[in-house]
Amino acid sequence: MKNIFTTVKAAVTTKQAAEYYGLKVSRNGMTCCPFHEDRHPSMKVDERYYCFGCHETGDVIDFTAKLFGLTPYEAAKKLAWDFHIDPNTPQPPVAAAMKKQEVQDRQDETFCMRALVDCEATLRKRKEQYAPSSSDDPWDDRFVEACNMLDYVSAMVDILFMPDAEMRKMLVQQMKEENTIQCLKERLEALREENEHGETEMGAA
């Protein structure tokens, strides 16, 4: 048993395991902690891991054991199997796919949240930029569009901030099925390019 622990820890870092099991790790080794409700990356992963939010810490075996609900020995066997450390190591009989799906669900939710919050901030700025100066002024089409989109985006942001995990999961699933995030991102990019073009023209004038 000690041999497999030593072999696995010498061959696999926590960062490698985190990325293999679906976590998105930034260049500086930060990722959203899978062990608590983490909307912003608060876990540092390298040889070991440490979460600045919930203070979970340990090595790659501790990380894998907690992520999949395994004993340390089962986690070591899983790592050995997944990273092809020892071809004679049998795959541990665990519901790994279910746990991996939970990690993916959390990643999807975080991605949607960031995209929507970014979109909301841009729309608020656009709404302010093209707002009529007085009640007698005609409404700019860009102002109207920003108002309409902002209400829609803000409503989704509110749901993703709700404590009801099932509601959040349902919204994320719907957004994925309807390709809502991609559509919003494409429209947002178009709005930004339009703003940059307008600012360039004003500077040239």
Side-chain angles (χ1 to χ4, degrees), residues 156-196:
M156 290 192 290
V157 170
D158 288 343
I159 293 176
L160 289 181
F161 272 112
M162 291 174 61
D164 189 331
E166 191 61 31
M167 284 287 292
R168 300 198 307 269
K169 184 176 181 179
M170 288 174 60
L171 175 60
V172 171
Q173 185 61 36
Q174 179 181 341
M175 293 173 71
K176 289 173 63 178
E177 291 175 354
E178 298 177 354
N179 203 28
T180 303
I181 283 293
Q182 186 60 35
C183 292
L184 285 173
K185 290 180 72 173
E186 289 175 359
R187 183 57 185 145
L188 181 58
E189 186 62 32
L191 294 177
R192 285 174 173 169
E193 290 179 359
E194 182 181 318
N195 284 342
E196 290 174 0

Side-chain angles (χ1 to χ4, degrees), residues 22-39:
L23 275 70
K24 184 177 181 180
V25 182
S26 66
R27 290 183 178 180
N28 63 354
M30 296 300 294
T31 185
C32 287
C33 177
F35 306 136
H36 77 282
E37 292 294 332
D38 194 9
R39 302 191 189 282

Side-chain angles (χ1 to χ4, degrees), residues 18-65:
E19 291 177 326
Y20 182 86
Y21 295 133
L23 275 70
K24 184 177 181 180
V25 182
S26 66
R27 290 183 178 180
N28 63 354
M30 296 300 294
T31 185
C32 287
C33 177
F35 306 136
H36 77 282
E37 292 294 332
D38 194 9
R39 302 191 189 282
H40 304 285
S42 64
M43 176 179 282
K44 176 74 172 181
V45 289
D46 197 352
E47 292 293 331
R48 295 173 60 84
Y49 71 94
Y50 176 75
C51 178
F52 294 93
C54 66
H55 307 295
E56 284 288 340
T57 186
D59 57 31
V60 65
I61 294 176
D62 298 322
F63 177 84
T64 305

